[in-house]
Amino acid sequence: MSLPLETGSASGHVRCAEAKSVVSALKELGVVRGRPVAVWPPRSLPHGLFLSSVRNGWVSLWTPLDDLCEWFGELTASLECPGVLFEVADELFWATELYRDGELLGRCDLPTEWVEAGLLQSLAEEALEREGVPDPQQIPDRLEACMLDLAASSEYGNALEELRAGRFAPDDLAPFLPPFATAECAWTLLTACDHPEEESEPGDETAETYVDRFASYLGIRDAAWNPSADADALAEGDYDDGDGLPDGWKEFRVLPLPKLPVL
């Protein structure tokens, strides 16, 4: 079970020796169609999926559609490779999913305390909606009372157990590590938001900071990049300075999508 959060951005990363193999697999899955478009020299880019070159053994991709989690596992199965999917819900919440040859090894939603509190609130909102309350967040006192009632319930206990059972273990990180990296250090970086530095103030570290720090240890670059923030410049071809764009941007490709986003 994962917390139903609205994803702000998402990225997928597969360990693969050739970017063209990823392109072929995406076409076979029906995710993209047509010929890849080079992003350099600057030009007006089509609506599509952004694909990096091979960087530190990883090929990274970002799609403007909200369907990455629907086909990413199949992509790792087609390529017979490890894959990591990151989701950033807002400045606080983020999640990591690990895949290997199509198998989901687990998902880790963070920060743990906040995610579990969010799960409790979600259950309370559902309970109030069943009672006929159209917008439980508009009556915070009643919502809080419902959360207190549910906190000791078997319903919340079972939901917590399911959430925790879906987490991957530290040892599951081993196939995703570069040489000389350790699963222990990777796990420490992954869960750093659960143990913030005493001297840090709330808000000093964002979800994007934690994602990039952990991903960089795996050799993955720009995991928290959100193409939608640069959408206008990319659509108009106004990005010749490269500010804010991922490492190795000149080697990126855009793969046209068969469908447009639903507004």
Side-chain angles (χ1 to χ4, degrees):
M1 181 174 185
S2 59
L3 191 64
L5 297 172
E6 183 178 349
T7 301
S9 64
S11 64
H13 313 268
V14 291
R15 180 168 283 169
C16 188
E18 295 182 330
K20 65 180 182 180
S21 298
V22 182
V23 174
S24 297
L26 289 169
K27 288 183 177 180
E28 290 176 2
L29 293 173
V31 176
V32 300
R33 66 180 180 186
R35 298 181 60 183
V37 177
V39 304
W40 200 264
R43 67 191 69 194
S44 178
L45 298 177
H47 174 77
L49 180 151
F50 289 94
L51 188 82
S52 77
S53 58
V54 180
R55 303 181 301 172
N56 299 326
W58 294 91
V59 176
S60 303
L61 48 91
W62 300 259
T63 175
L65 304 180
D66 294 328
D67 63 351
L68 180 59
C69 61
E70 297 175 14
W71 50 260
F72 185 73
E74 293 182 74
L75 178 63
T76 67
S78 179
L79 294 169
E80 298 182 342
C81 73
V84 185
L85 187 153
F86 294 105
E87 296 179 350
V88 179
D90 55 27
E91 291 188 355
L92 176 64
F93 295 103
W94 62 288
T96 304
E97 290 185 351
L98 301 182
Y99 292 85
R100 190 174 187 186
D101 301 343
E103 177 187 1
L104 175 62
L105 301 182
R107 174 184 173 98
C108 186
D109 292 273
L110 292 162
T112 302
E113 181 179 352
W114 289 62
V115 167
E116 293 183 353
L119 177 60
L120 177 61
Q121 179 175 328
S122 178
L123 292 174
E125 290 175 356
E126 291 175 2
L128 291 176
E129 288 170 356
R130 289 194 297 268
E131 295 176 8
V133 179
D135 191 353
Q137 292 190 22
Q138 296 299 315
I139 45 173
D141 291 344
R142 188 171 178 184
L143 177 59
E144 182 177 356
C146 186
M147 290 174 64
L148 290 173
D149 289 340
L150 282 173
S153 69
S154 59
E155 180 184 5
Y156 180 53
N158 292 336
L160 271 183
E161 183 177 348
E162 183 182 352
L163 180 68
R164 293 167 181 172
R167 267 195 172 192
F168 52 83
D171 289 344
D172 290 325
L173 289 165
F176 303 85
L177 300 177
F180 310 114
T182 67
E184 180 181 7
C185 186
W187 184 261
T188 298
L189 288 171
L190 174 72
T191 59
C193 58
D194 283 346
H195 313 283
E197 298 290 339
E198 292 184 1
E199 63 271 16
S200 64
E201 296 292 333
D204 282 354
E205 304 282 1
T206 65
E208 289 85 355
T209 303
Y210 288 115
V211 168
D212 278 334
R213 190 175 297 155
F214 168 68
S216 293
Y217 189 71
L218 304 185
I220 295 171
R221 312 299 298 169
D222 309 294
W225 179 54
N226 187 354
S228 64
D230 301 301
D232 291 341
L234 296 174
E236 297 171 4
D238 184 20
Y239 54 86
D240 56 297
D241 56 9
D243 287 348
L245 296 176
D247 289 345
W249 172 252
K250 292 183 179 181
E251 304 300 322
F252 274 47
R253 299 289 184 271
V254 179
L255 310 181
L257 296 168
K259 56 183 178 180
L260 296 175
V262 177
L263 301 179

